[in-house]
Amino acid sequence: MISMALSSVSLRDLALVQAVAREGSFNSAARAMYISPSGLSHQVQKVEQALGMPLFERGGRRVAPTASGQRLLGYIDSVLSAAEHLEHAARAGDVAFGGELRLGVPSTLGPYLLPHVIEPFPQRFPDTRLTISEGKPRGLLRRLGEGELDAVLAPPSTAMTGLDSVALFFEPYELMLHKGHPLAGQEAIALTELDAADATLMAESHGNGVSDLGMPGAARPERIQDLSIESLATLVALRGGYSLVPILAHERLNSIPNVVLAAVEGARPGRHIALYWRSATPWRDDLVGFGELLRTLAGTIPGLDTTTPL
């Protein structure tokens, strides 16, 4: 049985509490939820009175949950997640994903893979809108866990619980060198021929440096940059050296002045890409079908490998 006080609390009230916890500020939460600060404060107090305890410590520069509030916020998150699933299930009918798939894609993958997906998607899932969010894999997976996204394309991760996944493809890396590099012009280059000190690598894919690739040299002398693939190409074009880049970006990078591309001889550095979704999603069958579509499309794109296991 639910008390009369708690039964007067709405899902909107709980979402406001969740926003305060997320933003750490009543003013910021009010802006995010399109409500006045006084109105937000009143609704949060209503929830606190219904639960019989304070959820937040007030008065400091940043609003922080109380010890009991921290515990109850987990239940509030569960209630809102269950409400979202209820709404999705009610809207499902015969339309895949209830009419919209909110997909998260790494910014180093989206611009190069999505052109292959946009046209076939409505053919496979008519009456369903595909909404794209780009970002870093870790942030996208966090948003997936919080219910902001329905699915995410990302390299394998063990950092999140409550998620299911299906392997899609392996994307090899190729070498991008300044056109003045001594090895520029060769069709294939072994990593052992390169000096690690000349490397400029993406933090997203090579956060541990060339040591992950079995290259010789001192520990981590290379430059790790947290930037896009095209910005990475600009750095190599301006200051020389080389980098490792995903093969899907080949066509775009091949048009950038002062850099050349070459295959990696011997070793096969690259990244695996999987499709992730919440284990409790009501769209499991649709997501499995979406994964099958992506694997089929990947099999038609030169360079991608749908047979290499994770």
Side-chain angles (χ1 to χ4, degrees), residues 115-307:
H116 300 277
V117 177
I118 297 302
E119 183 177 350
F121 182 85
Q123 298 172 4
R124 174 66 175 80
F125 301 104
D127 302 319
T128 298
R129 180 173 62 181
L130 179 62
T131 304
I132 306 296
S133 293
E134 285 192 347
K136 298 177 183 179
R138 182 177 300 178
L140 293 172
L141 289 171
R142 176 187 56 77
R143 293 177 61 192
L144 174 63
E146 294 176 353
E148 295 181 19
L149 299 172
D150 299 311
V152 165
L153 294 172
S157 172
T158 58
M160 300 292 294
T161 59
L163 300 182
D164 290 343
S165 66
V166 60
L168 297 179
F169 57 83
F170 174 76
E171 181 184 14
Y173 292 129
E174 59 182 350
L175 283 162
M176 177 176 63
L177 307 95
H178 187 275
K179 70 175 185 179
H181 192 282
L183 299 179
Q186 295 185 197
E187 291 187 4
I189 302 170
L191 294 180
T192 52
E193 299 180 68
L194 296 165
D195 185 345
D198 294 334
T200 302
L201 304 176
M202 291 187 297
E204 178 182 310
S205 302
H206 308 109
N208 293 324
V210 296
S211 59
D212 284 347
L213 307 173
M215 293 178 65
R220 296 186 61 117
E222 67 285 345
R223 296 177 285 255
I224 306 296
Q225 300 286 340
D226 188 8
L227 36 67
S228 69
I229 293 175
E230 294 189 20
S231 295
L232 184 67
T234 300
L235 282 182
V236 172
L238 290 174
R239 68 187 187 190
Y242 67 92
S243 184
L244 284 158
V245 292
I247 202 167
L248 274 174
H250 179 94
E251 184 176 347
R252 175 68 186 98
L253 296 178
N254 209 32
S255 66
I256 295 179
N258 295 325
V259 298
V260 296
L261 300 171
V264 178
E265 186 177 279
R268 282 195 84 202
R271 60 180 174 182
H272 292 274
I273 298 296
L275 178 66
Y276 289 85
W277 62 83
R278 291 185 299 280
S279 302
T281 181
W283 316 123
R284 173 179 293 274
D285 291 344
D286 294 334
L287 286 160
V288 170
F290 181 53
E292 292 171 352
L293 171 64
L294 291 174
R295 280 179 58 86
T296 299
L297 293 174
T300 66
I301 301 174
L304 298 189
D305 181 357
T306 59
T307 63

